């Protein structure tokens, strides 16, 4: 089965994956909400706030770590597509030059089809895929306990930074909207790549989606 490739479509797909990688990387920077860690002193509510702060930008498995991982994966796909285009176009040029050399040799020395013909060596390197391991996130349930007095509880509630909670909510919505756009762009890039090319060196089979 032959290979039908349009280098321009592969290059365009690489640009789309590269843009998706940057968008995902920028989204990961939205996860840092330091105010959430100290938003309240009320037990239970405090644990909930700190838990959300951690799930956004804290330990392994947090939204930040996952987004960073996917940004690296998208960049890897983009780099491999560019490497594929370079390898295919270079190979095509090399083969054409070799055929021209052989044709010229045959026409000038018909008795020796190998005289004067040389085969050039070319090595192409493809980027190594980043680690795809995503550690599950541990979200311990918040624990509420009795406060010292109703007065203390009232004061603690009154000084709670509700803006930090609103900011966290907006962050989740923004992340969801950004990633929805990224997913649609990646699917469109993959669709265009598949529609215009056949057997692009197995790259599609290695992508994580």
């Amino acid at each position: 089965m032959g290979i039908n490739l349009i280098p321009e479509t592969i290059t365009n797909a690489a640009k789309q994956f590269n843009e998706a990688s940057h968008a995902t990387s920028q989204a990961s920077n939205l996860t840092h909400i330091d105010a959430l860690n100290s938003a309240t002193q009320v037990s239970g509510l405090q644990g909930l706030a700190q838990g959300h702060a951690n799930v956004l930008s804290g330990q392994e498995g947090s939204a930040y770590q996952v987004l960073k991982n996917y940004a690296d994966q998208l960049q890897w796909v983009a780099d491999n597509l560019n490497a594929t285009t370079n390898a295919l176009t270079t190979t095509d040029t090399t083969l054409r030059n070799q055929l021209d050399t052989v044709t010229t040799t045959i026409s000038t020395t018909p008795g020796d089809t190998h005289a004067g013909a040389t085969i050039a060596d070319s090595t192409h390197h493809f980027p190594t895929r980043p680690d795809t391991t995503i550690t599950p996130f541990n979200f311990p349930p918040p624990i509420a306990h009795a406060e010292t007095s109703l007065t203390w509880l009232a004061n603690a509630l009154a000084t709670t930074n509700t803006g930090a909670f609103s900011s966290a909510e907006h962050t989740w919505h923004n992340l969801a909207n950004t990633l929805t756009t990224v997913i649609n762009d990646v699917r469109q890039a993959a669709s265009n790549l598949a529609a215009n090319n056949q057997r692009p060196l197995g790259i599609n089979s290695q992508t994580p989606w």
Side-chain angles (χ1 to χ4, degrees), residues 121-195:
D121 241 352
S122 61
T123 303
H124 301 283
H125 300 281
F126 292 84
T128 301
R129 184 174 188 174
D131 183 17
T132 59
T133 303
I134 296 178
T135 305
F137 185 82
N138 179 32
F139 196 137
I143 300 175
H145 56 77
E147 304 296 357
T148 56
S149 67
L150 286 176
T151 301
W152 186 96
L153 179 59
N155 290 333
L157 288 171
T159 57
T160 292
N161 181 6
T162 57
F165 291 92
S166 297
S167 180
E169 180 185 7
H170 288 308
T171 295
W172 282 117
H173 281 297
N174 289 337
L175 288 175
N177 291 335
T178 298
L179 291 179
T180 296
T181 300
V182 168
I183 289 170
N184 290 335
D185 290 345
V186 166
R187 285 176 175 169
Q188 185 60 54
S191 177
N192 292 339
L193 192 62

Side-chain angles (χ1 to χ4, degrees), residues 1-207:
M1 182 177 179
I3 297 178
N4 176 35
L5 293 162
I6 304 176
E8 291 79 7
T9 64
I10 300 177
T11 301
N12 289 337
K15 290 179 180 178
Q16 289 177 287
F17 276 103
N18 185 57
E19 291 170 358
S21 173
H22 285 303
T24 306
S25 181
Q26 289 175 354
S28 71
N29 294 328
L30 299 175
T31 61
H32 299 286
I33 304 180
D34 295 332
L36 202 56
N37 276 308
S38 57
T40 183
Q41 295 300 311
V42 180
S43 66
L45 194 57
Q46 182 184 50
L48 184 64
Q50 292 174 344
H52 273 284
N54 287 333
V55 81
L56 277 168
S57 60
Q59 60 204 44
E60 288 295 323
S62 65
Y64 172 77
Q65 293 292 341
V66 172
L67 289 170
K68 185 176 182 303
N69 182 287
Y70 274 106
D72 291 342
Q73 298 296 322
L74 289 166
Q75 188 61 55
W76 170 78
V77 174
D79 292 343
N80 263 282
L81 287 171
N82 284 324
T84 298
T85 303
N86 181 61
L88 291 171
T89 53
T90 301
T91 300
D92 180 63
T93 300
T94 300
L95 288 174
R96 277 187 286 137
N97 290 339
Q98 290 172 353
L99 288 173
D100 288 342
T101 300
V102 172
T103 302
T104 302
T105 300
I106 293 174
S107 63
T108 55
T109 56
D112 186 357
T113 57
H114 297 288
T118 59
I119 304 297
D121 241 352
S122 61
T123 303
H124 301 283
H125 300 281
F126 292 84
T128 301
R129 184 174 188 174
D131 183 17
T132 59
T133 303
I134 296 178
T135 305
F137 185 82
N138 179 32
F139 196 137
I143 300 175
H145 56 77
E147 304 296 357
T148 56
S149 67
L150 286 176
T151 301
W152 186 96
L153 179 59
N155 290 333
L157 288 171
T159 57
T160 292
N161 181 6
T162 57
F165 291 92
S166 297
S167 180
E169 180 185 7
H170 288 308
T171 295
W172 282 117
H173 281 297
N174 289 337
L175 288 175
N177 291 335
T178 298
L179 291 179
T180 296
T181 300
V182 168
I183 289 170
N184 290 335
D185 290 345
V186 166
R187 285 176 175 169
Q188 185 60 54
S191 177
N192 292 339
L193 192 62
N196 292 286
N197 301 278
Q198 295 177 3
R199 298 182 65 191
L201 298 190
I203 286 182
N204 284 345
S205 64
Q206 300 179 46
T207 54

